[in-house]
Amino acid sequence: MKPLRALIRSVGWKGKGLHTGEESSVEVRPSRRPGIYFINGDGEVPLSSLEADGTGRGTTVIFEDGRRVMTVEHLLGSLSGLGIWHAVIRVEGKEIPALDGSGRIFTEDLDKVAVDAKDEGPLPFIITNSVMVENQSNGAFVAAFPALKSRFTSVTRYDDMDPSTQSAEYSHDPSVFPGAVAPARTFVLEKEIEGILSRGLARGGSLENALVFGRQGPVGPLRFPDEAPRHKILDLLGDLALLGRPVLGHIFSYKGGHALNIRLVERLRRILAIN
Ligand SMILES: [Zn+2]
């Protein structure tokens, strides 16, 4: 399988958004132009130019007219994971449907309509100098290091989880992604749920679209022993897709999440802009 793939026809999904709880739909259409674009009004906006907000337990993209689309990361992670960098996305509603809380359904359906790309893709972003963003209050950081291959390492640490520190590694390969990363689900700690709901988030959350960790361990079977840090790799792929191009480097996340991922994207976008 070639690293770059393209769609031969459109594919779409409908369902409830994780945070809004409202029904929405999204369609991904083939395109020959390099890059991923979002339809907004009559125009098509490149992903790389969209403002993003990662502070609300998910990633929201914000258009110039103020329109917001929430929870873009699992669809974008699925496109990036499959090596699809020619596409146009159309969303009806405020959020991309949660489906099962992972990238599995997006990935399976996209995979069926993807072939080796004939057109040139966007140039990869090659990490030539280490870049790190951190949260000094809890020691969390996300860093990008130079590497010969796209690699991801995720380390999660939660005092109430057993084991409290877990890690996952992924060496990017579109033929491995559907089995190794896409099915890892969104997760939440039982003790966090009340606070999240009081912030008006996760109104569409349920055991159908999220993995819940209680004091006694996960509620329901895990898809991977390291499903939590593995899901963070899907999130990283999705958030970094906001660069509009693949990243060649080793991305290392320690206790990272969307807020740090988006800060890394903003730093990398500034580096792109001056080079
Ligand atoms: Zn996620």
Side-chain angles (χ1 to χ4, degrees):
M1 190 187 289
K2 278 195 189 165
L4 193 66
R5 300 169 79 209
L7 303 171
I8 47 170
R9 59 170 189 269
S10 299
V11 56
W13 304 269
K14 278 187 171 66
K16 236 189 228 183
L18 175 67
H19 291 301
T20 58
E22 292 174 18
E23 288 289 325
S24 62
S25 66
V26 58
E27 184 183 43
V28 182
R29 300 176 177 169
S31 165
R32 296 200 57 182
R33 184 179 39 179
I36 295 174
Y37 291 75
F38 262 96
I39 293 180
N40 190 41
D42 295 331
E44 294 184 355
V45 187
L47 202 51
S48 54
S49 75
L50 281 171
E51 193 190 327
D53 176 4
T55 58
R57 286 195 77 102
T59 297
T60 299
V61 291
I62 306 160
F63 295 86
E64 265 189 354
D65 61 6
R67 177 184 170 215
R68 300 167 79 92
V69 175
M70 297 174 77
T71 321
V72 296
E73 61 271 20
H74 305 150
L75 174 61
L76 296 182
S78 301
L79 286 164
S80 169
L82 287 168
I84 297 168
W85 290 99
H86 299 83
V88 176
I89 301 173
R90 181 166 177 271
V91 182
E92 257 176 59
K94 295 179 191 145
E95 187 171 13
I96 292 189
L99 306 181
D100 72 344
S102 77
R104 181 164 78 175
I105 297 166
F106 294 130
T107 297
E108 281 175 2
D109 293 344
L110 286 164
D111 209 13
K112 287 179 199 147
V113 294
V115 294
D116 289 347
K118 293 189 187 75
D119 302 300
E120 291 285 319
L123 289 174
F125 186 123
I126 301 169
I127 304 293
T128 50
N129 291 298
S130 303
V131 179
M132 182 171 96
V133 293
E134 61 183 325
N135 179 346
Q136 286 181 337
S137 66
N138 66 357
F141 68 84
V142 181
F145 302 109
L148 292 173
K149 277 211 68 184
S150 292
R151 283 181 60 201
F152 295 84
T153 303
S154 160
V155 179
T156 54
R157 190 169 171 178
Y158 298 96
D159 292 340
D160 289 342
M161 250 196 225
D162 183 28
S164 72
T165 302
Q166 295 183 47
S167 68
E169 294 262 357
Y170 169 64
S171 186
H172 181 49
D173 179 339
S175 64
V176 170
F177 171 81
V181 179
R185 289 164 294 168
T186 303
F187 62 94
V188 64
L189 273 63
E190 205 167 24
K191 64 163 193 176
E192 296 176 317
I193 293 175
E194 207 175 310
I196 293 169
L197 289 171
S198 73
R199 288 167 67 196
L201 299 171
R203 289 169 198 263
S206 72
L207 288 171
E208 250 85 83
N209 58 27
L211 167 62
V212 176
F213 287 96
R215 282 202 173 276
Q216 313 300 325
V219 179
L222 291 172
R223 291 182 179 174
F224 303 96
D226 55 359
E227 190 163 356
R230 216 170 260 265
H231 181 78
K232 296 272 187 182
I233 293 176
L234 175 65
D235 284 342
L236 270 171
L237 277 159
D239 289 339
L240 286 168
L242 292 164
L243 291 165
R245 56 185 73 212
V247 176
L248 182 58
H250 183 179
I251 312 297
F252 192 111
S253 167
Y254 174 68
K255 298 199 328 189
H258 297 293
L260 281 176
N261 295 350
I262 297 305
R263 279 176 52 202
L264 180 68
V265 165
E266 285 166 354
R267 285 275 298 276
L268 296 176
R269 279 180 173 178
R270 284 201 289 276
I271 293 168
L272 267 179
I274 55 174
N275 284 313

